[in-house]
Amino acid sequence: MAGLSIERARKRFGDVEVLKGVSIDVADGEFAVIVGPSGCGKSTLLRAVAGLEDLTGGTIRIGARDVTGLGPSERGIAMVFQSYALYPHLSAYDNMAFGLRIAKASKAEIDAAVQRAAEILNIEALLDRKPAALSGGQRQRVAIGRAIVRKPQLFLFDEPLSNLDADLRVRMRYEFAELHRALGTTTLYVTHDQVEAMTLADRIIVLRDGRIEQAGTPRALYERPANLFVAQFIGAPRMNILPATVIEGGAAMLAEGSAIALPPGISLPPGTPVSVGVRPEDVTIGAADGLPFAIAFVERLGGLATLHLRGAGRATIACQIRDDGRLREGERVPVGFPADRLHLFDADGRRLAAEAEEDACHGAV
Amino acid sequence: MRRALVTGFAALVALLTIAPLLWMLSVSFMAPGEAAQFPPPLLPENPGLENYRQLFGTYGVGRFLANSLFVSTLATLLALLFTVPAGYAFAKLRFRGRDAVFRLLVAALVVPGQIGMLPLFLELKAMGLVNSYAGALVPWLAGIFGIFLVRQYCLSIPDEMLEAARIDGASEGEILRHIVLPLLTPVVVTLALFVFLSSWNDFMWPLIVLADQQLYTLPVALAALSREHVQDNELMMAGAVVTTLPVLILFLALQRFYLSGLLTGSVKG
């Protein structure tokens, strides 16, 4: 097994620069997830690691080996594609055995490897079937089996769950986590779904427009987003952002016209424009000194409900609460923004951190 | 009702198409001169194999039949050998000038084959291939239509499948052999049939390039024969049967692939 190290990866397609100097280190055995909106370059980066695209600049190392110039099969990787990319004329068994047959492995060796993979993935009964006779989830398993059989140093997954229905996606997500625990292989996983990223990753890399916005543990990204983009990309429902101006006394004036207390430990000169971020689950309803908001719309999810609230100005915020069924649309409620749960961003969208937090942050990374 | 009408119409067209073939078969069993009566009889009075005996015995058509089989089989194999990899390469491999070359090839499709015959003949003459099977085979080696057909079909093969095979360690040759070829079966069969039929039925080019009578293919030999036997309808019909039957059998045997090849080649995905 081995870690992965990407240094200043650049990729240019004609005039378009898709990767603008991306550096990533994935430790041995780590599950790293690259997440970002479509067109951010995440699939290109993955394909470059696989050797399916040549980089315009930069190096890729797997373990101690520089693999930048090597072909896909020489890199010790296995890849699972979004479309599964199974060979339609071969049975599940032959799909999984294909790589070993090409490598001229012995019959016994091939059979042992395929049976072991089938056992791990629980598809022993399906080995005779052709891909056309398999369901989406089963095809996915065969594709993963084909990857396992190669005994790779590095697993690459390109949006493997996006062709599955919601129910199956949740189940397969759990199975990916289990599989990673069982095999312990270093994994690089690409998705546009932040929930997948949050649930699977040891480490998330948020990519936008060919650059890394932030990399860190899911917890770190959730609690200390480095900028407005990450703040809104990670977490659902997305973080509320309210424009405000700093005033005297550790407070800020919202564009609404009401003042809120800022997190302790942050001192900014009055008049500084800031964005105040607050996660829907941190907004409190019924606070004594709350600001008046009207409930515009209630989304009931069963145990939880998301309230869409409209303030005195035109700003709307979302708020997630335990649903006791009492709050109704049209009602006016006092809404609180706990100072210690607020995220503050400067005019350029960068996080403004209290000094104590800044230290903790560096310690974690 | 509408359905019955369509079926009836289709049956009528089928009957009109097959009637001459059936009569050809029937006449080939008639005695000399029998078909020239008026009204012409539909069935032979005393069916016999005399015409066939004469064809194979007196005129040695067996040799020409073997020539034709040899040339057509070789033409088909060689055409597949060059056309299928070329079509695949034009669809799936990245190389400089790929699209420009392909456009040029497709543009060349509009030039009728007959125009190329004289320059081709002169070229082969310079190469010393006139009056040999090598010369007869050259035009079949890499048909543009075949390349086009294979390419269009290959476009529907997802890139990810080929990339998966590359990651699995397969070389480009192994990918073509183990992944692409099995998927191309319908279009390969279609193309094989197409080339075999065309080269089997081809008259003009073998006539031009083959001077030696020993080398004649069946259509050329029968044409030569018919000049001497203009009156012998029954004999000529037997010759026509000998020409038609092998390809007819081949066509019917491969019809399943042929149809699916024609249909899938045109519609992507």
Side-chain angles (χ1 to χ4, degrees):
Chain A
M1 270 189 285
L4 165 71
S5 158
I6 303 171
E7 261 173 72
R8 293 190 303 278
R10 293 183 172 280
K11 176 70 186 178
R12 179 182 277 287
F13 290 110
D15 290 338
V16 189
E17 193 161 37
V18 183
L19 297 175
K20 300 167 180 168
V22 174
S23 297
I24 295 175
D25 276 298
V26 183
D28 188 4
E30 209 173 17
F31 198 121
V33 176
I34 303 177
V35 64
S38 55
C40 71
K42 55 189 191 299
S43 282
T44 306
L45 183 60
L46 192 79
R47 290 170 54 80
V49 174
L52 297 171
E53 299 284 355
D54 293 327
L55 285 179
T56 314
T59 55
I60 297 171
R61 253 175 249 284
I62 297 174
R65 243 166 20 118
D66 185 341
V67 300
T68 317
L70 297 182
S73 64
E74 301 161 313
R75 298 191 173 201
I77 54 116
M79 182 154 167
V80 176
F81 293 88
Q82 180 177 353
S83 66
Y84 321 133
L86 296 175
Y87 313 126
H89 59 294
L90 299 178
S91 67
Y93 185 100
D94 291 333
N95 261 282
M96 289 159 74
F98 184 78
L100 293 177
R101 291 217 171 107
I102 291 288
K104 307 253 183 305
S106 76
K107 250 201 163 79
E109 208 178 318
I110 293 172
D111 197 55
V114 172
Q115 292 296 349
R116 178 177 153 269
E119 207 175 298
I120 292 172
L121 294 163
N122 217 355
I123 49 172
E124 292 113 309
L126 307 173
L127 290 178
D128 294 337
R129 295 211 202 154
K130 296 241 171 102
L134 298 172
S135 70
Q138 291 167 338
R139 281 179 211 180
Q140 178 65 270
R141 267 171 240 251
V142 174
I144 296 167
R146 186 170 64 182
I148 292 177
V149 165
R150 287 179 55 74
K151 294 207 181 74
Q153 295 182 301
L154 177 65
F155 268 130
L156 304 174
F157 290 95
D158 188 8
E159 309 227 11
L161 299 183
S162 44
N163 281 2
L164 301 176
D165 61 48
D167 197 32
L168 201 55
R169 211 177 303 162
V170 174
R171 216 169 67 216
M172 287 304 290
R173 207 163 68 203
Y174 170 75
E175 287 191 24
F176 276 133
E178 285 281 281
L179 190 70
H180 181 249
R181 203 163 305 148
L183 298 175
T185 311
T186 315
T187 302
L188 191 61
Y189 183 109
V190 159
T191 180
H192 64 268
D193 181 354
Q194 59 92 19
V195 179
E196 266 173 49
M198 288 297 280
T199 49
L200 284 169
D202 294 321
R203 189 156 38 155
I204 296 180
I205 296 131
V206 181
L207 207 61
R208 180 172 66 148
D209 202 16
R211 282 200 182 85
I212 293 181
E213 293 283 321
Q214 192 177 3
T217 63
R219 199 79 228 152
L221 263 60
Y222 179 79
E223 303 210 315
R224 295 183 298 279
N227 52 47
L228 272 176
F229 177 77
V230 176
Q232 293 205 282
F233 196 77
I234 301 290
R238 60 188 4 214
M239 185 189 278
N240 300 299
I241 302 293
L242 301 162
T245 311
V246 176
I247 54 172
E248 297 286 349
M253 183 65 74
L254 295 181
E256 303 281 305
S258 18
I260 57 167
L262 291 179
I266 288 185
S267 52
L268 291 166
T272 312
V274 291
S275 295
V276 177
V278 57
R279 295 213 177 269
E281 51 272 38
D282 292 333
V283 174
T284 58
I285 300 286
D289 56 348
L291 308 174
F293 274 78
I295 302 177
F297 182 60
V298 183
E299 276 178 303
R300 297 189 193 280
L301 306 168
L304 294 174
T306 304
L307 307 180
H308 295 269
L309 304 163
R310 185 162 292 133
R314 302 217 53 83
T316 53
I317 60 168
C319 158
Q320 198 162 53
I321 54 161
R322 286 211 150 278
D323 187 16
D324 52 12
R326 280 184 308 174
L327 290 169
R328 305 243 170 264
E329 281 156 27
E331 228 173 293
R332 298 189 75 79
V333 287
V335 173
F337 302 99
D340 59 337
R341 305 299 304 163
L342 296 184
H343 303 262
L344 226 55
F345 303 94
D346 67 15
D348 295 329
R350 280 192 302 263
R351 180 179 190 79
L352 294 163
E355 276 134 42
E357 187 193 317
E358 194 111 55
D359 293 342
C361 204
H362 282 303
V365 176
Chain B
M1 178 62 205
R2 201 188 152 85
R3 213 184 157 81
L5 217 66
V6 172
T7 311
F9 183 71
L12 187 71
V13 171
L15 191 72
L16 285 175
T17 312
I18 201 165
L21 288 173
L22 290 178
W23 200 59
M24 168 186 83
L25 191 66
S26 169
V27 170
S28 75
F29 296 118
M30 290 181 187
E34 194 178 340
Q37 298 167 29
F38 194 86
L42 280 182
L43 293 170
E45 207 163 314
N46 298 304
L49 291 171
E50 182 49 36
N51 296 319
Y52 292 96
R53 224 167 275 139
Q54 219 184 336
L55 266 184
F56 285 93
T58 319
Y59 301 111
V61 161
R63 153 133 211 153
F64 304 126
L65 186 67
N67 286 353
S68 260
L69 268 177
F70 176 75
V71 170
S72 296
T73 306
L74 213 56
T76 306
L77 292 179
L78 289 172
L80 292 181
L81 188 70
F82 289 104
T83 313
V84 173
Y88 167 67
F90 275 119
K92 288 294 175 187
L93 300 184
R94 293 184 223 169
F95 55 90
R96 197 189 296 265
R98 179 183 80 173
D99 295 337
V101 173
F102 185 71
R103 269 197 297 274
L104 200 68
L105 285 181
V106 173
L109 264 181
V110 300
V111 180
Q114 284 80 354
I115 290 182
M117 279 179 178
L118 185 60
L120 190 62
F121 180 81
L122 294 175
E123 209 175 309
L124 291 182
K125 195 175 157 211
M127 291 161 75
L129 293 179
V130 168
N131 198 23
S132 76
Y133 283 144
L137 288 170
V138 164
W140 299 105
L141 291 188
I144 298 173
F145 176 74
I147 293 174
F148 180 75
L149 193 70
V150 174
R151 173 185 178 267
Q152 294 313 98
Y153 197 87
C154 281
L155 287 178
S156 67
I157 298 176
D159 286 333
E160 288 193 345
M161 199 187 297
L162 307 177
E163 288 171 349
R166 257 166 229 150
I167 291 177
D168 267 339
S171 65
E172 293 304 320
E174 284 168 328
I175 292 174
L176 181 62
R177 247 199 342 271
H178 297 303
I179 305 293
V180 176
L181 266 187
L183 299 177
L184 290 184
T185 308
V187 78
V188 167
V189 172
T190 304
L191 185 62
L193 206 54
F194 195 81
V195 175
F196 191 89
L197 283 179
S198 317
S199 59
W200 181 271
N201 290 331
D202 189 24
F203 169 71
M204 202 58 171
W205 184 249
L207 179 71
I208 293 174
V209 85
L210 300 175
D212 209 334
Q213 198 162 2
Q214 290 300 297
L215 299 177
Y216 274 8
T217 58
L218 205 48
V220 180
L222 285 178
L225 200 61
S226 73
R227 257 170 272 143
E228 299 168 31
H229 297 268
V230 169
Q231 299 300 316
D232 303 339
N233 287 324
E234 297 75 17
L235 184 71
M236 292 327 298
M237 283 302 160
V241 169
V242 172
T243 315
T244 316
L245 213 54
V247 285
L248 197 66
I249 290 169
L250 188 71
F251 182 83
L252 290 177
L254 298 176
Q255 193 183 34
R256 193 164 52 91
F257 295 102
Y258 185 69
L259 285 176
S260 77
L262 278 187
L263 293 176
T264 41
S266 55
V267 183
K268 202 184 148 191

